[in-house]
Amino acid sequence: MGASRLEQTDALFRKNLVIQRRACKTNCCLILFPLALCSVIGGLQIAINHASSQGGGGGGGGGGATPAIRLDCSCSNVSVDENALGGIQCPDECPLPRAPKWPPVVRTPSPEYRAVQDGLFPFADLPDASCRAEGSCPATFLVTGDNHSFVGSVIDNILPTHSSSVNLSADVSALSDFVLADDGEFHQSFLQNKCSPNLTLSYPVQYGNNVVSQDVRCTEGLVLWRDSSRLINDELYGGYYQGNRNHKIDEIAAVYDFLSSDQSNFNLIISYNSTNDYGVYDESEQSIPVINQAGPVQKPNLVQVPRLANMASNAYLHLKGNGLKMPFEFVKEMPRAAIPIHDGQFDLAPYIGQLPFVWTMELLFPVILTNLVYERQNKLRIMMKMHGLGDLPYWTISYCYFLLLSLLYVLSFVLFGSALGLTFFRQNNYGMQFIFYFAYMNLQISFAFLMTTYFSSVRTATVTGYLYIFVSGLLSQFMFRPYVEDSNISRIWITLMELLPAFSLYRIVYEFSRFAQAQPENYMASSGIQWADMTNPESGLAGVLTIMAVEWLLFLLFAFYLDHFRSYKDGIRKAAALVRSRIHGNHSEAAQQQNVQLQEFRASIQLERTDVLKEREIVELISKESDRSYSVICDNLGKVYRGKDGNADKIAVRGISISMSRGQCFGVLGPNGAGKTTLINMLTGFCKPTSGTAYVQGMDIRFDMDRIYTGIGVCPQDDLLWESLTGREHLLFYGRLKKLKAAALFEAIEQSLRSMHLLAGGVADKLVGKYSGGMKRRLSVAISLIGDPKVVYMDEPSSGLDPASRKNLWKAVKSAKQDRTIVLTTHSMEEADVLCDRIGIIANGSLQCIGSSKELKDRYGGSCLLTVTTPAGGQEEEEVERLVQSISPAANRVYRVSGTQKFEMPKRGMKISAVFQAMEQAKSSLDIVAWGLADTTLEDVFVRVAKQTDMSTVT
Ligand SMILES: *[C@@H]1O[C@H](CO)[C@@H](O)[C@H](O)[C@H]1NC(C)=O
Ligand SMILES: *[C@@H]1O[C@H](CO)[C@@H](O)[C@H](O)[C@H]1NC(C)=O
Ligand SMILES: *[C@@H]1O[C@H](CO)[C@@H](O)[C@H](O)[C@H]1NC(C)=O
């Protein structure tokens, strides 16, 4: 029995370790690649920061130790200064990729400062000073104009009136019917002519990534007529700096001067307190005012005057009375790019975008793909399988290796990136990063495993792999990204697109970098991504993670399925056969059903010779009894290659039945294209038989290949070896797979190296990449013999060997065949003669004859060959022919070229001495240059059999 899974895993692990150690340079380069990228970005960033800190020191004015103005888009971790001018905001130097909408707001004085009757404002129409204590003073608007009666009717409509509370959370479209007001200290309200108690307005406000319902109370507005603008001017100017007031107070909300407005024209001057405007940045302030994180925030500097003008215009339109309205819903800043600064540091990341990160993350994909396809293309995978390596250990080890590589790669990316100060890594929660990168790397590996099954050439795989990451990167940047950013596109489409691993990766990187950068549109600190953002529907990260996890599992299962069953159809067929055999409980019975097709083959073999027929009978007998002394039984094995592109099917092997017993070396001979290699390939599981089956050690090749593999050795026609392993390491690996251990393993290796003459000159410890063809060949044979397999297949083992090595090889094979079956194909008749106990000659896909070398020679070689050479073109040729006829009347000329003739003479009734005598006599009369007499060789048998088949197929 073969090695256990654990032992196989161990063997494979050790082998891979050696290979990886050899490929250390490449691996290190790979892992250090992110360093190069991060260095470039980080270096650039540091250089720019250095340059800007020198330039900025002078320009900032403040100079010295304190930074002049910290341009901080994050607006976080700075203390809130309640008295700071106008509250707060992030500086305009911050980028604004998607400007948010602000409702227009009117600026009103704070309740405690609103105009009341006092020494400064003695006007009787102002409210009593007692309202200040209650905080219920109205916001006062002063109005004037040329035509009092006309303006008087206009101003009645300046402030709207709503009598009940309104909740606009569901639909914000009616917000323009309200005049929102703000006193600059986060007291928001809406202005009305009259306020009933507990009148509130609720409307949605985007706050960070959340939408909250903002409730504001009603503020009463007072619109007062003054006779002229001069009076207003005096009133305001006079109120300034008078009395005991020691600081400036804004008491009047705004002033309207309607000038000459009348029914047909509308003319307006608005006076407002420009110091009220936010956005005027007080440079004397050392600390930066910040957004009050406790509540939603308006950005009022956008809206003062337009809203005031709009109120007057609406009042005018209302007066005209034709139902016209000018709703003023939102204002928006222009989007802007700005010098991205982070914590006072220049951040290059927004300029670079996500593409380099995505490409770097994807870079391992072609590497993994190439690695996997290499083992496929070079058939190393199947070679390992043929020596008993199960699928599971192979998968486990390969997967773990690539996972380790990927994790190291990502780790180096994150470490170097963080060290060099890239906010992309620094700002985001490392736990989140780990989860997502880990998930993506797993997905990438399983994706590569899946793709491997579609490639057979390393070069195609490499090119396709790199092309994939290049194109998918560009696609995600220029196609996928706009989709993500467009909130009008259904998220379902985004989810569908994220099914492509490249897009899901892009989404992760996109969200991470979005969170890492400041989000001035929401006045949010760049807190980076946190666990809480996982479930945030806008980030869509939970969805991406789910997609990746599910896909990873599916890809892996699918890849395993494809790999295990080669191709879909095969898989289904195999499964069906398995089920059938389970039902019938007997393999041979299931085989019988499949064999129906084979009757055709039988019919096509018209003249099956007695030896072949006899062999077929033996096979039929023993396959029923499952005789244990036969280790390989081919039962009517057939293979048809389905014709492609309208070509006819090609029958490669037509129902061959052979039995091979233990301790026997069976030689398979045949001209090129006769079907020998197809036969061996079927026996070793390279390809599936179309009909019939074979039993190796009593196990059916259609069902039990995995178990068969544990007991066979294969020396394939091409040397399937790893260039970066030594001969000894090959034997170590395969020996371990064959369950050899410790001392026994080393002894077996030593012995097989010696028998194959691979010890001399330290050949065994050289890399196979440096071997000559002959050395590789000998190593392949050694591999096939290690671990005492019961059945060994050797496909032309001696091709390319010099005569001395060939002799050694023969010796080794001869001593190896003691208690095992060796199946050998060869073109060397000498080899077959020396090694093989039985020989089968295959031509045109079917077995032509079978028997020992001697039997074949006797059967086919009942004659000997006489070769006579005379000068070309002379009379002598006919003379010689006549002479030969006289020696043996049945002689037959088989060959005649420029004076050399070959005659075949039946041995029966012919004396060799007579031939010699006749020839010696003839030499005196004829000009015979040379002559010779030879017994039939295997070669003659071969040539004759091949010729006969050719003739029979022609006729
Ligand atoms: C003032 O407006 C009223 C209409 O509201 C109009 O009848 C009157 O003629 C106007 N007065 C002047 C002097 O234009
Ligand atoms: C307004 O409606 C929203 C839901 O649509 C609700 O969350 C909010 O509490 C409501 N506000 C008031 C004041 O009723
Ligand atoms: C304008 O507004 C500022 C800030 O609120 C205030 O200090 C100032 O007194 C106001 N000016 C007038 C003339 O009301």
Side-chain angles (χ1 to χ4, degrees):
M1 262 292 76
S4 74
R5 291 235 162 99
L6 202 67
E7 285 161 332
Q8 292 180 18
T9 313
D10 173 61
L12 187 62
F13 177 72
R14 284 161 186 252
K15 184 219 78 184
N16 280 358
L17 210 62
V18 174
I19 292 188
Q20 295 315 333
R21 227 179 26 228
R22 298 260 151 78
C24 176
K25 233 190 230 161
T26 329
N27 285 340
C28 290
C29 285
L30 201 62
I31 288 174
L32 289 182
F33 175 80
L35 174 65
L37 183 89
C38 293
S39 310
V40 171
I41 300 178
L44 217 60
Q45 191 163 304
I46 289 167
I48 293 175
N49 268 326
H50 185 65
S52 69
S53 75
Q54 283 182 342
T66 48
I69 297 173
R70 275 178 64 209
L71 296 173
D72 185 355
C73 290
S74 73
C75 299
S76 63
N77 57 30
V78 187
S79 65
V80 180
D81 183 351
E82 287 291 343
N83 300 320
L85 169 86
I88 322 320
Q89 64 180 314
C90 295
D92 287 338
E93 283 77 4
C94 295
L96 195 57
R98 279 175 286 167
K101 296 188 286 190
W102 298 107
V105 170
V106 168
R107 187 63 192 278
T108 59
S110 306
E112 63 268 34
Y113 298 137
R114 286 175 192 159
V116 290
Q117 271 181 45
D118 59 9
L120 295 164
F121 291 138
F123 301 92
D125 50 2
L126 284 170
D128 196 85
S130 61
C131 72
R132 280 207 174 147
E134 296 161 26
S136 64
C137 296
T140 305
F141 293 81
L142 299 179
V143 180
T144 186
D146 294 352
N147 187 336
H148 185 183
S149 71
F150 174 75
V151 173
S153 49
V154 171
I155 59 179
D156 287 345
N157 297 313
I158 281 192
L159 296 172
T161 309
H162 296 269
S163 51
S164 58
S165 296
V166 179
N167 192 344
L168 298 176
S169 288
D171 179 17
V172 77
S173 63
L175 190 61
S176 62
D177 290 343
F178 294 86
V179 174
L180 294 176
D182 183 284
D183 69 357
E185 286 174 15
F186 311 110
H187 299 123
Q188 303 205 347
S189 57
F190 63 104
L191 281 172
Q192 293 222 133
N193 265 331
K194 271 267 158 301
C195 289
S196 47
N198 301 327
L199 194 61
T200 57
L201 166 68
S202 306
Y203 61 93
V205 169
Q206 171 102 25
Y207 173 51
N209 285 317
N210 305 316
V211 175
V212 296
S213 174
Q214 161 99 322
D215 296 342
V216 292
R217 303 182 62 82
C218 177
T219 294
E220 242 170 65
L222 188 61
V223 186
L224 299 176
W225 169 262
R226 293 289 181 268
D227 287 331
S228 72
S229 60
R230 194 183 50 81
L231 274 179
I232 295 179
N233 208 57
D234 283 354
E235 183 176 343
L236 292 180
Y237 187 70
Y240 228 49
Y241 291 129
Q242 286 198 1
N244 298 324
R245 297 192 182 178
N246 51 15
H247 66 275
K248 301 173 273 178
I249 305 161
D250 58 331
E251 303 200 327
I252 303 294
V255 176
Y256 286 109
D257 184 351
F258 281 89
L259 302 170
S260 59
S261 299
D262 60 22
Q263 290 288 354
S264 52
N265 78 81
F266 179 63
N267 206 354
L268 184 66
I269 290 177
I270 296 173
S271 309
Y272 71 103
N273 181 351
S274 69
T275 353
N276 270 345
D277 253 357
Y278 295 4
V280 177
Y281 195 78
D282 188 349
E283 294 195 6
S284 65
E285 292 286 345
Q286 287 286 322
S287 69
I288 302 251
V290 278
I291 290 296
N292 182 353
Q293 298 271 351
V297 170
Q298 293 289 350
K299 187 164 188 190
N301 64 329
L302 302 167
V303 286
Q304 274 246 65
V305 178
R307 190 39 155 161
L308 290 171
N310 177 258
M311 283 157 67
S313 309
N314 267 326
Y316 183 74
L317 284 173
H318 186 80
L319 189 74
K320 299 280 282 184
N322 46 12
L324 272 178
K325 243 165 84 179
M326 289 188 354
F328 183 23
E329 294 189 331
F330 296 106
V331 287
K332 241 176 143 175
E333 274 182 274
M334 290 209 201
R336 57 166 184 262
I339 309 163
I341 301 269
H342 193 87
D343 278 350
Q345 295 287 304
F346 179 77
D347 186 6
L348 204 57
Y351 284 127
I352 306 164
Q354 289 81 14
L355 212 44
F357 292 96
V358 169
W359 272 336
T360 311
M361 295 272 185
E362 280 189 312
L363 195 66
L364 277 187
F365 178 72
V367 175
I368 298 174
L369 192 65
T370 310
N371 250 298
L372 287 171
V373 174
Y374 176 80
E375 294 211 323
R376 248 173 91 89
Q377 181 197 356
N378 294 346
K379 299 200 177 117
L380 289 164
R381 170 95 172 74
I382 190 96
M383 178 74 177
M384 289 189 275
K385 204 169 169 175
M386 284 191 298
H387 284 87
L389 180 69
D391 283 332
L392 202 65
Y394 176 77
W395 275 65
T396 319
I397 284 291
S398 310
Y399 193 91
C400 289
Y401 164 65
F402 290 126
L403 188 62
L404 189 72
L405 187 71
S406 303
L407 289 184
L408 284 177
Y409 183 77
V410 170
L411 189 72
S412 88
F413 197 22
V414 175
L415 280 185
F416 295 138
S418 304
L420 290 163
L422 299 188
T423 50
F424 181 81
F425 298 112
R426 275 199 165 174
Q427 287 291 313
N428 292 318
N429 182 308
Y430 281 107
M432 287 279 278
Q433 293 194 50
F434 175 77
I435 294 282
F436 278 91
Y437 299 152
F438 183 75
Y440 176 72
M441 286 303 156
N442 275 296
L443 176 63
Q444 183 165 272
I445 297 170
S446 63
F447 188 49
F449 268 105
L450 182 64
M451 291 330 267
T452 308
T453 48
Y454 295 102
F455 293 104
S456 47
S457 132
V458 171
R459 197 167 300 174
T460 339
T462 315
V463 172
T464 318
Y466 283 106
L467 211 63
Y468 162 77
I469 62 168
F470 183 68
V471 172
S472 68
L474 290 183
L475 274 183
S476 43
Q477 175 83 12
F478 297 108
M479 191 189 91
F480 180 61
R481 181 184 168 149
Y483 276 94
V484 174
E485 288 180 346
D486 187 344
S487 50
N488 294 327
I489 296 214
S490 161
R491 294 293 108 175
I492 293 175
W493 290 114
I494 308 288
T495 308
L496 279 182
M497 288 168 95
E498 279 164 4
L499 289 180
L500 189 69
F503 285 167
S504 42
L505 173 67
Y506 187 87
R507 184 70 192 271
I508 298 171
V509 174
Y510 174 78
E511 294 298 337
F512 277 19
S513 64
R514 196 166 70 89
F515 273 88
Q517 286 162 32
Q519 296 177 286
E521 66 259 47
N522 296 331
Y523 286 86
M524 280 298 282
S526 77
S527 51
I529 206 135
Q530 301 300 335
W531 290 107
D533 296 311
M534 186 78 120
T535 46
N536 182 340
E538 209 194 326
S539 74
L541 284 176
V544 176
L545 196 62
T546 318
I547 290 176
M548 289 200 299
V550 171
E551 257 184 339
W552 167 75
L553 200 68
L554 285 184
F555 282 178
L556 216 53
L557 288 178
F558 206 50
F560 187 74
Y561 172 82
L562 285 186
D563 178 77
H564 199 68
F565 297 103
R566 301 288 148 67
S567 69
Y568 314 87
K569 258 196 256 156
D570 238 34
I572 293 162
R573 195 152 7 108
K574 192 167 177 177
L578 207 68
V579 170
R580 218 164 29 224
S581 75
R582 285 277 147 78
I583 292 169
H584 292 281
N586 183 347
H587 287 168
S588 64
E589 210 170 309
Q592 224 88 57
Q593 292 197 347
Q594 286 212 332
N595 283 355
V596 179
Q597 204 183 344
L598 218 91
Q599 305 305 325
E600 301 160 23
F601 288 140
R602 240 174 243 203
S604 76
I605 306 164
Q606 307 142 334
L607 286 164
E608 212 162 56
R609 282 160 200 82
T610 44
D611 50 347
V612 178
L613 271 178
K614 213 164 113 201
E615 186 74 13
R616 192 178 286 282
E617 276 159 20
I618 293 173
V619 166
E620 260 159 38
L621 204 71
I622 55 177
S623 68
K624 278 199 195 88
E625 290 168 3
S626 62
D627 191 329
R628 274 311 186 141
S629 64
Y630 290 92
S631 30
V632 181
I633 304 163
C634 299
D635 185 2
N636 237 329
L637 207 54
K639 176 78 188 174
V640 178
Y641 289 108
R642 293 265 162 254
K644 277 187 192 141
D645 306 326
N647 291 329
D649 291 354
K650 185 184 179 314
I651 304 174
V653 174
R654 307 163 188 263
I656 287 183
S657 290
I658 306 174
S659 63
M660 306 167 196
S661 56
R662 190 157 303 153
Q664 198 178 61
C665 177
F666 189 90
V668 181
L669 304 188
N672 289 328
K676 292 170 299 183
T677 302
T678 309
L679 181 69
I680 296 277
N681 281 353
M682 281 192 284
L683 287 174
T684 51
F686 257 125
C687 62
K688 303 260 157 213
T690 331
S691 59
T693 186
Y695 302 95
V696 178
Q697 306 262 77
M699 290 171 283
D700 195 321
I701 59 162
R702 287 170 308 165
F703 312 107
D704 279 335
M705 216 56 228
D706 289 347
R707 264 170 65 213
I708 291 174
Y709 281 146
T710 61
I712 66 172
V714 181
C715 167
Q717 200 165 14
D718 331 291
D719 301 300
L720 309 181
L721 304 166
W722 287 273
E723 304 248 298
S724 54
L725 286 185
T726 66
R728 193 187 295 276
E729 283 157 356
H730 272 93
L731 291 173
L732 265 170
F733 170 57
Y734 286 113
R736 286 200 183 107
L737 276 190
K738 288 273 147 79
K739 217 180 172 151
L740 286 177
K741 286 240 178 63
L745 176 63
F746 290 107
E747 191 164 320
I749 290 171
E750 211 58 31
Q751 203 242 317
S752 78
L753 285 174
R754 198 176 308 120
S755 67
M756 289 300 153
H757 289 256
L758 284 170
L759 277 180
V763 176
D765 296 308
K766 267 197 226 156
L767 293 189
V768 166
K770 302 207 175 89
Y771 276 25
S772 68
M775 289 177 186
K776 284 188 189 166
R777 211 69 209 120
R778 280 181 281 160
L779 179 59
S780 290
V781 173
I783 288 172
S784 71
L785 288 175
I786 199 156
D788 193 27
K790 290 291 165 244
V791 179
V792 179
Y793 301 95
M794 295 184 183
D795 206 351
E796 299 180 19
S798 63
S799 64
L801 290 189
D802 62 83
S805 318
R806 189 183 311 186
K807 286 268 156 59
N808 285 323
L809 180 81
W810 289 351
K811 215 158 59 188
V813 172
K814 254 187 178 163
S815 69
K817 76 180 174 191
Q818 301 306 339
D819 61 340
R820 51 173 75 109
T821 309
I822 294 178
V823 182
L824 184 109
T825 72
T826 181
H827 279 301
S828 154
M829 297 306 142
E830 197 189 352
E831 183 168 289
D833 226 352
V834 173
L835 289 179
C836 300
D837 306 300
R838 286 179 86 213
I839 292 168
I841 298 181
I842 294 180
N844 201 18
S846 48
L847 191 62
Q848 299 299 330
C849 56
I850 187 164
S852 69
S853 166
K854 191 171 172 311
E855 280 167 0
L856 290 182
K857 280 185 209 161
D858 282 351
R859 204 175 306 149
Y860 290 93
S863 54
C864 50
L865 275 182
L866 176 66
T867 315
V868 185
T869 308
T870 52
Q875 284 285 312
E876 278 91 348
E877 290 194 24
E878 270 103 83
E879 296 275 336
V880 167
E881 197 175 347
R882 229 169 292 135
L883 173 76
V884 173
Q885 292 289 337
S886 71
I887 301 169
S888 164
N892 178 20
R893 187 170 65 194
V894 289
Y895 176 85
R896 174 184 176 178
V897 170
S898 61
T900 300
Q901 304 181 72
K902 256 187 194 170
F903 300 93
E904 206 178 63
M905 298 188 294
K907 273 192 205 159
R908 197 171 301 149
M910 188 195 77
K911 275 204 186 113
I912 294 188
S913 57
V915 179
F916 271 80
Q917 225 167 16
M919 288 312 292
E920 285 307 318
Q921 275 173 11
K923 254 180 147 175
S924 55
S925 56
L926 285 170
D927 185 8
I928 290 173
V929 182
W931 73 279
L933 185 66
D935 201 355
T936 352
T937 60
L938 200 54
E939 199 159 336
D940 301 315
V941 176
F942 180 81
V943 170
R944 189 190 284 221
V945 169
K947 212 187 240 168
Q948 275 176 5
T949 342
D950 273 357
M951 268 154 50
S952 70
T953 44
V954 167
T955 49

